[in-house]
Amino acid sequence: MTRILLLEDDAGTATEILLELAVAGHQALHRTTLAGAADAMRESAIDAMIVDRQLPDGDVSAPRPRCPIRPPRRRRCCRAHQPQ
């Protein structure tokens, strides 16, 4: 079972994604802020993340000193939504 951290502040979007992850057999954790995601990553092993870029406490694409999330050394990134 893959442990996936969903970092999404929109409740409707999060609900849909969490349902799809459950149907696919994954265990998902949901957080709505960068700080919450950082806490979740310290508390348990995470295999993958689905991340909303713009969150209430920051932008994931911001320079690293402002973003408490440190990606693993090897990562695969899939961006479903690219702003035009």
Side-chain angles (χ1 to χ4, degrees), residues 57-72:
D57 61 343
D59 188 329
V60 173
S61 66
R64 289 290 171 226
R66 297 186 64 212
C67 180
I69 298 173
R70 299 287 186 244

Side-chain angles (χ1 to χ4, degrees), residues 3-76:
R3 288 184 54 92
I4 299 174
L5 175 59
L6 172 61
L7 182 51
E8 172 59 65
D9 61 328
D10 181 79
T13 301
T15 299
E16 290 180 28
I17 294 171
L18 291 169
L19 178 60
E20 291 296 326
L21 291 172
V23 168
H26 301 294
Q27 182 180 9
L29 299 172
H30 175 225
R31 299 296 182 269
T32 59
T33 63
L34 290 170
D39 290 343
M41 291 174 70
R42 280 191 291 274
E43 294 168 5
S44 62
I46 302 296
D47 299 311
M49 292 178 64
I50 299 172
V51 180
D52 179 8
R53 230 188 83 203
Q54 296 176 334
L55 299 160
D57 61 343
D59 188 329
V60 173
S61 66
R64 289 290 171 226
R66 297 186 64 212
C67 180
I69 298 173
R70 299 287 186 244
R73 295 189 76 149
R74 295 179 66 190
R75 68 180 184 181
R76 186 184 325 179

